[in-house]
Amino acid sequence: MSRTDTGAPERPTGTEPTEPDRQRRSLTERLLAVRELSLLIALGLLVLVTTVRNDRFLSGQSVKDLLLGCAILVILAVGQTLVIVTRNVDLSVGSILGLVAFATGTLFLSAPGTPWPVALVVGVALGALCGVINGGLIAVARVPALVITLGTLYAFRGVDYYWASGRQINAADMPSSFLRLGNQTVLGVPVLFLVALVVVAAVGFYLRSYHSGRELYAIGSEPAAARLSGIPVGRRVFAVFVANGALAGLAGVLYAARFGTLDAAAGTGLELQVVAAAVVGGVAIFGGSGSAYGAALGAVLLTTIGSSLAVLRIDPFWQQAVVGALILAAIGLDRLLALRVAARLRGRSAHGA
Amino acid sequence: MTADAPGTDGAPLLVLDGVTKSFGAVAALRGVHLALHAGEAHALVGENGAGKSTLVKILAGAHPPDSGEMTLDGQPLRLRGPADARAAGIAVIYQEPTLFPDLSVAENIFMGRQPLRGLRRIDSAAMNRDAERLFQRLGVRIDPTRPARGLSIADQQLVEIAKAISFDARVLVMDEPTAALSGVEVERLFAVARSLCERGAAVLFISHRFDEVFDLCHRVTVLRDGAWVSSDPAADLTVDEVVRRMVGRDVSSLYPKQVAELRDTLLEVRGLTRAGVFTDVSFSVRGGEIVALAGLVGAGRSEVARAVFGIDRYDAGEVRVAGRGVPAGRPGRAIAAGMALVPEDRRQQGLVMELSVERNATLARRRALSRLGLLLGGAERAEARSWTRRLQVKAARLNAPVATLSGGNQQKVVLAKWLATEPRILIIDEPTRGIDVGTKSEVHRLLSELAGEGLAILMISSELPEVLGMADRVLVMHEGRLVRELSRAEADETSIMYAATGQGVTA
């Protein structure tokens, strides 16, 4: 019995020397990169084809419209990524956006002198409150988030309708400083898009580089194992819904600033676009994988398809079909990549006798 | 072999006193005592269902005990969750691996404890380096950056071990860590466990393999039916004595092998090859014969079985049942030809854990039991009842989810499922992995009986006593090739291990 063999760091014979210090990108990360690259290529091809057919597609105004158009979807998709990564889903984001947008208008209507940063804070806080309701119900009821947020989708929208009771808020009711936020550009880039970029970068960085961010992936990948590893699963999931609510609130304020005209139906049906953007962006619907960058690219791609089909004068019917095909293609690509990786990993076992 | 107990006069590090735990009406633990001393490896043995895994869950903080005291270093210990157990320095290697398939191996090891750099960011390079260092200590090569998805069971177990030792725990709990490991890896694991002991940690080791228990442990605690039976220095015990205490009776014969008359060749495999996995595998199995496929973990045994059954494709070769070819990659056709496969990982491949015992037992027979495409409860229940009775499955009710059964009984349900298809050829992968002694001998008796009825049985097993006790012939695989065929008379531990480690093969 080799009592002295304490497994000290001396290298066992028979293994090739390893280079632990070699800088290399992890296999897991490389996969994500491949996935995001494929989205960029698809986006590039789409822009290229559309521009060849109609060179106005790349004109300054058109690009500006595109960036403006995708900003809100990008923010929502990134928020949804936080949720989906934990093997949950939030269907209430469209309703939260509508409720917050209407609340923002009402705030300006009832207190005309309100500076816009205050409206922003109020909107984000209201969104976060909706997230608290979602997260709280999920934690208490122990029912899948799909069902809870389907309920709050109607509940929040109902509150919105009750509150608005048929009224509409117009741009004239809101201060111009606030409305400028929705259209202003910095060096030609819309402020809205810059806000979206900041959100993408912050969430992407958080998910990749922080303990709690990685724990979200762990929760989505294998909830039982996450519990056994001492991850506070309930608390993390609750926080994720609050964060997503806050981001939906932010999107609601920006929606109000951009469109100016608000009624209780704002953002209806947006939740499915948001989930579609995340899935096209490579966020696995069963959790555990995907990135904020991918989801953002998915949102940009979906928006670009919309405007490019309009530029190409293609029937809106086809737009739906193309989005559908894109979702299926994205899922197919994910599956293909998974199979390729499985094939490569086969036989790369640690055992060889 | 027996390790002598070092001075254990000092106060124990971790004490459980009178711990009870019930799940509903079932008492899993009834007043269990356990005292772990620093620098000592302590074995916990008992049949499946004796409460070992429940005890592990309590130590891990996953279940709170209903009553009883726990102390660590003389201080009362209250665990409100796994995080508390970690904070107290208790690391656990669970029986079933608990990995995150989407995350990298290194992240799996260091989840929640990843090394940080500026701005409290995770330092992936350092994390991968640390993981590599752990694997070197264990003497295995696993790429820390690969995703955990697709790791073999043995590799998953190694990642679990790496995770547990990365804690530098004061108490290391190992719930059957060796079930999927090969001999070399077990030795490595034990070397690490001993070095932890030397540094003053306490180790709790759970295993059904007595040679390992007596090799590693200084003290043995026996549980039976959730109750504490005894705790003694290993030096004062023999295997027979431990088994007697575990089952409360004498186990007459663990390997009740009957000699069956050999009939015609039923399964014939010629030149089976799957690039990078196994090469040119040829063998045949006759009716009434039990042929064991032996070899180290990773030698390609399970892969051959999967290919023969049609789950995986193969690049060359053919499979014939009773002289007729079976198409590759078509499990349905293999079943129709009379083949049945009881897989190694019953949780993932053999059972639908949430479904009831009867549903699982009749899963492979849905077609035959249905009338006009409808599956009627009556036929299903009758079928399930007859098989579960024959195999003596211990389940509260036939409609209880399989997940609630003990490991041994789950294995019986898998067997029932396949035997219900009335196969002529039974391929069984690790038939008694993680099963207690009593059930083990029942499974063995059953296999022997089935062979007697004319079934051809191909058994994959990593337990040499099982191979030697059960098989008429032993085929030994090494690195994807069949390197040796041994008759029952020729086969012994030395000859099998010799071939399995690739010695005596043209170098």
Side-chain angles (χ1 to χ4, degrees):
Chain A
M1 208 185 312
S2 51
R3 278 268 165 139
T4 47
D5 179 13
T6 55
E10 111 254 26
R11 189 172 288 134
T13 50
T15 57
E16 306 150 35
T18 53
E19 301 167 51
D21 292 322
R22 182 167 34 117
Q23 271 300 328
R24 60 174 175 201
R25 290 195 67 183
S26 107
L27 187 60
T28 323
E29 276 175 24
R30 273 206 312 268
L31 264 179
L32 271 180
V34 168
R35 195 58 180 70
E36 280 152 21
L37 195 66
S38 71
L39 282 170
L40 274 177
I41 292 171
L43 192 60
L45 279 177
L46 181 66
V47 170
L48 188 74
V49 169
T50 317
T51 314
V52 165
R53 297 281 295 277
N54 186 337
D55 56 8
R56 291 227 310 278
F57 190 62
L58 269 191
S59 70
Q61 184 59 38
S62 165
V63 169
K64 193 190 138 195
D65 284 348
L66 199 65
L67 296 183
L68 207 51
C70 67
I72 286 171
L73 191 61
V74 165
I75 292 173
L76 292 175
V78 167
Q80 193 69 251
T81 302
L82 285 169
V83 176
I84 295 183
V85 152
T86 65
R87 204 182 273 191
N88 284 292
V89 71
D90 188 347
L91 294 181
S92 68
V93 285
S95 301
I96 296 178
L97 177 140
L99 187 62
V100 170
F102 196 82
T104 308
T106 311
L107 178 68
F108 284 124
L109 206 58
S110 49
T114 312
W116 67 262
V118 173
L120 189 74
V121 170
V122 169
V124 169
L126 180 59
L129 180 68
C130 292
V132 167
I133 293 172
N134 278 334
L137 284 175
I138 289 162
V140 172
R142 296 185 177 278
V143 170
L146 181 82
V147 186
I148 295 285
T149 58
L150 187 65
T152 53
L153 180 159
Y154 287 105
F156 294 156
R157 183 66 70 188
V159 170
D160 199 4
Y161 272 108
Y162 176 77
W163 192 11
S165 54
R167 276 181 305 148
Q168 195 180 54
I169 293 169
N170 296 308
D173 302 326
M174 287 185 267
S176 56
S177 65
F178 178 66
L179 293 172
R180 266 208 305 279
L181 200 65
N183 292 304
Q184 213 167 32
T185 59
V186 175
L187 302 170
V189 182
V191 173
L192 243 58
F193 189 73
L194 290 177
V195 173
L197 276 187
V198 170
V199 168
V200 173
V203 173
F205 184 61
Y206 164 76
L207 277 179
R208 214 187 115 149
S209 302
Y210 284 88
H211 276 174
S212 53
R214 301 312 297 172
E215 286 176 359
L216 299 184
Y217 286 93
I219 292 167
S221 193
E222 192 54 68
R227 259 179 218 107
L228 287 179
S229 330
I231 296 174
V233 175
R235 213 161 69 208
R236 292 271 180 272
V237 170
F238 179 77
V240 150
F241 274 93
V242 175
N244 186 38
L247 285 175
L250 172 67
V253 176
L254 298 180
Y255 186 95
R258 180 174 172 222
F259 293 104
T261 311
L262 301 166
D263 60 20
T268 305
L270 202 53
E271 55 281 338
L272 292 186
Q273 273 190 60
V274 172
V275 175
V279 169
V280 167
V283 180
I285 199 75
F286 281 123
S289 118
S291 73
Y293 311 117
L297 281 172
V300 173
L301 185 60
L302 286 189
T303 315
T304 312
I305 287 176
S307 36
S308 108
L309 292 180
V311 165
L312 296 174
R313 292 177 195 286
I314 292 174
D315 194 311
F317 161 77
W318 287 107
Q319 189 185 332
Q320 308 276 335
V322 166
V323 171
L326 196 67
I327 292 173
L328 295 180
I331 293 165
L333 180 68
D334 286 336
R335 183 82 194 116
L336 188 74
L337 283 177
L339 287 177
R340 289 274 308 270
V341 171
R344 267 190 52 197
L345 290 177
R346 193 160 16 110
R348 238 171 77 174
S349 164
H351 306 263
Chain B
M1 280 289 274
T2 306
D4 43 21
T8 53
D9 316 322
L13 182 59
L14 179 74
V15 179
L16 272 72
D17 195 20
V19 167
T20 65
K21 176 77 191 172
S22 300
F23 298 100
V26 184
L29 290 178
R30 300 179 295 180
V32 169
H33 305 271
L34 187 67
L36 302 183
H37 293 262
E40 219 184 69
H42 194 123
L44 185 64
V45 298
E47 290 194 274
N48 268 18
K52 294 168 304 188
S53 291
T54 307
L55 191 69
V56 169
K57 289 264 168 67
I58 285 176
L59 283 174
H63 290 326
D66 294 338
S67 64
E69 299 282 315
M70 286 201 271
T71 57
L72 184 67
D73 260 347
Q75 302 296 315
L77 179 67
R78 265 203 66 209
L79 304 174
R80 275 153 309 184
D84 282 1
R86 279 195 176 191
I90 301 173
V92 180
I93 302 172
Y94 293 98
Q95 188 176 3
E96 310 282 346
T98 52
L99 298 181
F100 307 113
D102 300 288
L103 301 183
S104 77
V105 164
E107 280 204 293
N108 265 288
I109 295 174
F110 294 108
M111 180 51 67
R113 307 171 292 132
Q114 296 98 328
L116 298 175
R117 50 194 174 134
L119 292 171
R120 300 189 47 78
R121 280 174 302 158
I122 290 168
D123 187 345
S124 325
M127 178 174 72
N128 291 334
R129 246 189 337 264
D130 291 352
E132 204 123 20
R133 221 165 275 147
L134 285 170
F135 286 135
Q136 274 178 18
R137 203 167 141 196
L138 286 170
V140 294
R141 283 175 55 74
I142 299 175
D143 178 2
T145 72
R146 65 161 283 172
R149 188 186 302 283
L151 284 173
S152 69
I153 293 191
D155 284 355
Q156 292 179 30
Q157 202 61 265
L158 288 165
V159 174
E160 289 283 338
I161 291 165
K163 194 199 297 182
I165 62 175
S166 73
F167 281 109
D168 262 326
R170 302 179 63 196
V171 179
L172 175 64
V173 180
M174 304 193 283
D175 192 357
E176 290 193 52
T178 60
L181 300 187
S182 68
V184 186
E185 288 155 356
V186 171
E187 266 313 305
R188 286 270 166 194
L189 172 62
F190 283 7
V192 171
R194 286 188 188 109
S195 80
L196 280 174
C197 279
E198 274 160 28
R199 282 188 233 156
V203 172
L204 182 67
F205 180 69
I206 295 170
S207 177
H208 285 302
R209 298 187 183 170
F210 295 115
D211 49 342
E212 293 175 359
V213 165
F214 283 97
D215 183 9
L216 180 70
C217 297
H218 308 100
R219 205 170 264 277
V220 181
T221 290
V222 180
L223 292 185
R224 186 169 69 225
D225 299 330
W228 176 86
V229 175
S230 69
S231 293
D232 295 289
D236 301 347
L237 292 169
T238 62
V239 172
D240 288 341
E241 179 59 25
V242 172
V243 171
R244 209 181 50 72
R245 289 183 189 179
M246 276 169 60
V247 297
R249 62 190 142 84
D250 288 307
V251 177
S252 49
S253 158
L254 212 47
Y255 303 104
K257 168 76 182 147
Q258 309 161 353
V259 181
E261 85 181 277
L262 295 189
R263 308 177 193 196
D264 296 338
T265 298
L266 278 177
L267 176 67
E268 206 172 358
V269 175
R270 287 279 158 264
L272 211 61
T273 300
R274 179 173 163 93
V277 184
F278 50 82
T279 314
D280 197 19
V281 173
S282 302
F283 62 89
S284 63
V285 187
R286 300 170 67 175
E289 191 179 33
I290 300 181
V291 173
L293 205 49
L296 300 180
V297 172
R301 297 167 301 162
S302 302
E303 289 77 2
V304 167
R306 288 169 60 87
V308 167
F309 191 66
I311 298 171
D312 295 339
R313 300 200 153 271
Y314 44 85
D315 303 319
E318 62 167 343
V319 177
R320 303 177 80 84
V321 171
R324 295 181 54 188
V326 178
R330 303 277 299 275
R333 295 287 288 275
I335 293 173
M339 257 195 252
L341 172 74
V342 179
E344 169 184 25
D345 184 351
R346 54 179 175 268
R347 259 171 196 275
Q348 279 183 14
Q349 297 166 4
L351 290 172
V352 186
M353 300 307 285
E354 292 82 11
L355 282 187
S356 67
V357 173
E358 62 182 25
R359 279 282 150 78
N360 270 291
T362 55
L363 209 53
R365 290 249 312 150
R366 296 183 314 277
R367 281 280 157 69
L369 288 178
S370 63
R371 297 279 173 274
L372 301 172
L374 284 177
L375 203 51
L376 299 175
E380 209 178 358
R381 212 164 302 133
E383 176 95 9
R385 192 167 298 143
S386 85
W387 278 107
T388 46
R389 189 173 307 138
R390 173 156 180 206
L391 302 189
Q392 300 170 6
V393 177
K394 290 187 190 69
R397 286 163 298 129
L398 278 184
N399 54 12
V402 164
T404 60
L405 267 55
S406 71
N409 282 305
Q410 287 178 9
Q411 181 70 329
K412 287 187 194 168
V413 174
V414 182
L415 260 173
K417 166 180 147 186
W418 285 110
L419 292 176
T421 66
E422 291 171 6
R424 290 188 287 174
I425 299 162
L426 179 68
I427 305 173
I428 186 161
D429 198 351
E430 301 290 357
T432 59
R433 179 177 162 229
I435 290 185
D436 58 88
V437 180
T439 317
K440 227 175 199 169
S441 85
E442 281 178 47
V443 169
H444 288 146
R445 187 171 298 122
L446 188 78
L447 288 179
S448 179
E449 236 176 78
L450 290 167
E453 290 170 19
L455 233 73
I457 298 180
L458 179 65
M459 176 182 82
I460 298 169
S461 175
S462 294
E463 287 189 41
L464 282 181
E466 180 170 270
V467 168
L468 295 171
M470 297 296 298
D472 295 298
R473 254 185 319 136
V474 182
L475 309 171
V476 188
M477 283 190 75
H478 172 66
E479 294 186 351
R481 284 174 184 280
L482 251 182
V483 289
R484 204 61 213 280
E485 178 175 339
L486 299 160
S487 69
R488 188 173 172 82
E490 292 171 305
D492 58 35
E493 300 215 2
T494 336
S495 61
I496 293 176
M497 279 322 287
Y498 205 67
T501 49
Q503 289 151 43
V505 188
T506 44

Coordinates of all heavy atoms in Angstrom, one line a residue, chain B residues 39-65:
Chain B
G39 N -8.3 12.3 10.6 CA -7.3 11.4 10.2 C -7.7 10.0 10.0 O -6.9 9.1 9.9
E40 N -9.0 9.7 10.0 CA -9.5 8.4 9.9 C -10.5 8.2 8.7 O -11.3 9.1 8.5 CB -10.2 8.0 11.2 CG -10.0 6.6 11.6 CD -10.8 6.3 12.9 OE1 -12.0 6.2 12.7 OE2 -10.2 6.2 14.0
A41 N -10.4 7.1 8.0 CA -11.4 6.8 7.0 C -12.4 5.8 7.6 O -12.0 4.8 8.2 CB -10.7 6.2 5.8
H42 N -13.6 6.2 7.4 CA -14.7 5.5 8.1 C -15.6 4.9 7.1 O -16.1 5.6 6.2 CB -15.4 6.4 9.0 CG -16.3 5.8 10.0 ND1 -16.2 6.0 11.4 CD2 -17.4 4.9 9.9 CE1 -17.1 5.3 12.0 NE2 -17.8 4.6 11.1
A43 N -15.9 3.6 7.1 CA -16.8 3.0 6.1 C -18.2 2.9 6.6 O -18.4 2.7 7.8 CB -16.3 1.6 5.7
L44 N -19.1 3.2 5.7 CA -20.5 3.1 6.0 C -21.1 2.0 5.1 O -21.1 2.2 3.9 CB -21.3 4.4 5.9 CG -22.7 4.5 6.3 CD1 -22.9 4.2 7.8 CD2 -23.3 5.8 5.9
V45 N -21.5 0.9 5.6 CA -22.0 -0.2 4.7 C -23.4 -0.5 5.1 O -23.9 -0.3 6.3 CB -21.1 -1.4 4.7 CG1 -19.7 -1.1 4.2 CG2 -21.0 -2.0 6.1
G46 N -24.1 -1.1 4.2 CA -25.5 -1.5 4.5 C -26.2 -1.8 3.1 O -25.7 -1.4 2.1
E47 N -27.2 -2.6 3.2 CA -27.9 -2.9 1.9 C -28.5 -1.6 1.3 O -28.7 -0.6 2.1 CB -29.0 -3.9 2.2 CG -28.5 -5.3 2.5 CD -29.6 -6.3 2.4 OE1 -30.3 -6.5 3.4 OE2 -29.7 -6.9 1.3
N48 N -28.9 -1.7 0.1 CA -29.6 -0.5 -0.5 C -30.9 -0.4 0.3 O -31.6 -1.3 0.6 CB -29.9 -0.7 -2.0 CG -28.7 -0.1 -2.8 OD1 -27.7 0.1 -2.2 ND2 -29.0 0.2 -4.0
G49 N -31.3 0.9 0.6 CA -32.5 1.1 1.3 C -32.2 1.1 2.8 O -33.1 1.3 3.6
A50 N -30.9 0.9 3.2 CA -30.5 0.8 4.6 C -30.5 2.3 5.2 O -30.4 2.4 6.4 CB -29.2 0.1 4.8
G51 N -30.4 3.3 4.3 CA -30.4 4.6 4.8 C -29.1 5.4 4.6 O -28.9 6.5 5.1
K52 N -28.2 4.7 3.9 CA -26.9 5.4 3.7 C -27.0 6.7 2.9 O -26.4 7.7 3.3 CB -25.9 4.4 2.9 CG -25.6 3.2 3.6 CD -24.9 2.2 2.7 CE -25.9 2.0 1.6 NZ -25.6 0.9 0.6
S53 N -27.7 6.7 1.8 CA -27.8 7.9 1.0 C -28.6 9.0 1.7 O -28.2 10.2 1.6 CB -28.5 7.6 -0.3 OG -27.7 6.7 -1.1
T54 N -29.6 8.6 2.6 CA -30.3 9.6 3.4 C -29.3 10.3 4.3 O -29.3 11.5 4.5 CB -31.4 9.0 4.1 OG1 -32.2 8.3 3.2 CG2 -32.2 10.0 4.8
L55 N -28.4 9.4 4.9 CA -27.4 9.9 5.9 C -26.5 10.9 5.2 O -26.2 12.0 5.7 CB -26.6 8.8 6.5 CG -25.7 9.1 7.6 CD1 -26.6 9.5 8.8 CD2 -24.8 8.0 8.0
V56 N -26.1 10.6 3.9 CA -25.2 11.4 3.1 C -25.9 12.8 2.9 O -25.3 13.8 3.0 CB -24.9 10.8 1.8 CG1 -24.2 11.8 0.9 CG2 -24.0 9.6 2.0
K57 N -27.2 12.7 2.5 CA -28.0 13.9 2.2 C -28.0 14.8 3.5 O -28.0 16.0 3.4 CB -29.4 13.6 1.7 CG -29.4 13.0 0.3 CD -29.7 14.1 -0.7 CE -29.4 13.6 -2.1 NZ -30.4 12.6 -2.5
I58 N -28.2 14.2 4.7 CA -28.2 15.0 5.9 C -26.9 15.7 6.1 O -26.8 16.8 6.4 CB -28.6 14.1 7.1 CG1 -30.1 13.8 7.0 CG2 -28.3 14.7 8.4 CD1 -30.7 12.9 8.0
L59 N -25.8 14.9 5.9 CA -24.5 15.5 6.1 C -24.2 16.6 5.1 O -23.5 17.6 5.4 CB -23.4 14.4 6.0 CG -23.2 13.5 7.1 CD1 -22.2 12.4 6.8 CD2 -22.7 14.2 8.4
A60 N -24.8 16.5 3.9 CA -24.6 17.5 2.9 C -25.5 18.7 3.1 O -25.4 19.7 2.3 CB -24.9 16.8 1.5
G61 N -26.4 18.6 4.1 CA -27.3 19.7 4.3 C -28.5 19.8 3.4 O -29.3 20.7 3.4
A62 N -28.6 18.7 2.6 CA -29.8 18.7 1.6 C -31.1 18.3 2.3 O -32.1 18.8 1.8 CB -29.5 17.7 0.5
H63 N -31.0 17.5 3.3 CA -32.2 17.2 4.1 C -31.9 17.6 5.6 O -30.9 17.2 6.1 CB -32.5 15.7 4.1 CG -32.9 15.1 2.8 ND1 -33.7 15.8 1.9 CD2 -32.7 13.9 2.2 CE1 -33.9 15.1 0.9 NE2 -33.3 14.0 1.0
P64 N -32.8 18.2 6.2 CA -32.7 18.5 7.7 C -33.1 17.2 8.4 O -34.1 16.6 8.0 CB -33.6 19.6 8.0 CG -34.6 19.6 6.9 CD -34.0 18.9 5.7
P65 N -32.4 16.8 9.4 CA -32.8 15.6 10.2 C -34.1 16.0 11.0 O -34.3 17.1 11.4 CB -31.7 15.3 11.1 CG -30.9 16.6 11.2 CD -31.1 17.3 10.0

